Amino acid sequence: MSREIWEIMRKLRGDEIELQIAFQCAPLITGLKESNLLNIKKQDYQRMKDIFKESELTIYPLGIHAGKITVFLYHRERLEKFFSGESVLALLHEIGYIDTDLKQVLPVFRTHYQQYLKEKKVFPHEMGLLLGYPIEDVRGFIEHNGCGCLYSGYWKVYRNVPLKKKMFEDFEKAKESVIQLLAEDIDMRLIPVSY
């Protein structure tokens, strides 16, 4: 993140939830990703829902932990298309899913995610798929138990580092753009793009 954007973030006095959304979800709201996790204070949940009410994004709460709510935000059509890929379906079956329809995966994932937060035992590997991470990196993470990655950014990279670095750079540019728009008093509800 550039120093200029960092200074803008420090000076922003607007709605803190909008800054959190910009910081955590810019790649999603600018159309670069199909989904994202958002961790916010419980009291900001309704404001977040209001921001995305008119957008094409779906809000799926995953649970409350340590005073914060984790929300899975996604563009339904794009994520369903990703989930229909043969390699994604194969990996879902390998990690124990019988029904790979997104509507069936989400409640199971929510349970796995909550168990992981409470017990820290089994990491829910389907998270990488739900977040639209490249299948080769999700597989690499599973096969290497999260170790031995070639690069780390928005996720751990196990193949095709130059492409992933470019993606991460694009995500950072999206973050800076959204923060810049907020600094110019653009309402967050006007920023999410239509896909």
Side-chain angles (χ1 to χ4, degrees):
M1 180 176 305
S2 73
R3 184 161 183 79
E4 176 186 353
I5 296 301
W6 180 250
E7 290 301 321
I8 289 172
M9 283 180 55
R10 288 186 47 221
K11 293 176 184 174
L12 276 176
R13 296 182 189 188
D15 194 346
E16 183 182 328
I17 183 60
E18 292 188 357
L19 189 56
Q20 284 298 315
I21 291 169
F23 197 74
Q24 295 181 47
C25 298
L28 171 65
I29 62 177
T30 58
L32 296 176
K33 285 187 84 242
E34 46 274 300
S35 57
N36 230 108
L37 289 180
L38 175 65
N39 292 300
I40 56 174
K41 297 175 190 170
K42 289 187 296 186
Q43 62 265 27
D44 291 332
Y45 182 70
Q46 186 58 50
R47 173 72 179 129
M48 183 271 309
K49 282 177 51 177
D50 292 343
I51 289 169
F52 291 116
K53 184 168 59 173
E54 300 297 321
S55 78
E56 295 181 17
L57 299 178
T58 300
I59 299 167
Y60 192 83
L62 294 176
I64 298 171
H65 182 72
K68 292 194 170 194
I69 184 167
T70 302
V71 180
F72 180 63
L73 296 166
Y74 64 100
H75 186 274
R76 183 182 311 271
E77 288 177 19
R78 288 186 64 197
L79 190 57
E80 285 176 349
K81 182 178 178 185
F82 177 77
F83 257 62
S84 69
E86 192 175 307
S87 57
V88 172
L89 295 173
L91 185 53
L92 282 169
H93 286 299
E94 286 175 34
I95 59 178
Y97 282 86
I98 297 166
D99 190 339
T100 57
D101 182 79
L102 184 59
K103 291 178 186 173
Q104 302 304 317
V105 170
L106 283 172
V108 175
F109 167 65
R110 178 175 22 209
T111 300
H112 291 170
Y113 183 74
Q114 289 173 355
Q115 288 172 340
Y116 174 72
L117 289 178
K118 290 176 187 170
E119 302 167 14
K120 299 286 186 212
K121 290 184 180 173
V122 179
F123 183 80
H125 293 295
E126 63 271 34
M127 179 187 296
L129 298 174
L130 285 165
L131 292 172
Y133 295 170
I135 190 78
E136 66 267 14
D137 294 330
V138 177
R139 277 196 178 282
F141 187 88
I142 293 168
E143 291 168 4
H144 299 282
N145 293 318
C147 299
C149 67
L150 302 174
Y151 188 77
S152 185
Y154 280 74
W155 60 82
K156 291 186 176 185
V157 176
Y158 290 88
R159 294 178 83 191
N160 203 347
V161 173
L163 175 66
K164 308 308 173 31
K165 281 184 174 182
K166 173 69 170 101
M167 291 171 72
F168 297 162
E169 288 171 13
D170 291 344
F171 294 168
E172 285 300 306
K173 288 176 187 173
K175 186 187 306 183
E176 291 185 4
S177 294
V178 172
I179 291 169
Q180 182 69 44
L181 290 170
L182 289 176
E184 294 170 8
D185 289 327
I186 304 294
D187 189 310
M188 178 58 88
R189 292 171 293 191
L190 301 175
I191 297 174
V193 297
S194 294
Y195 297 88

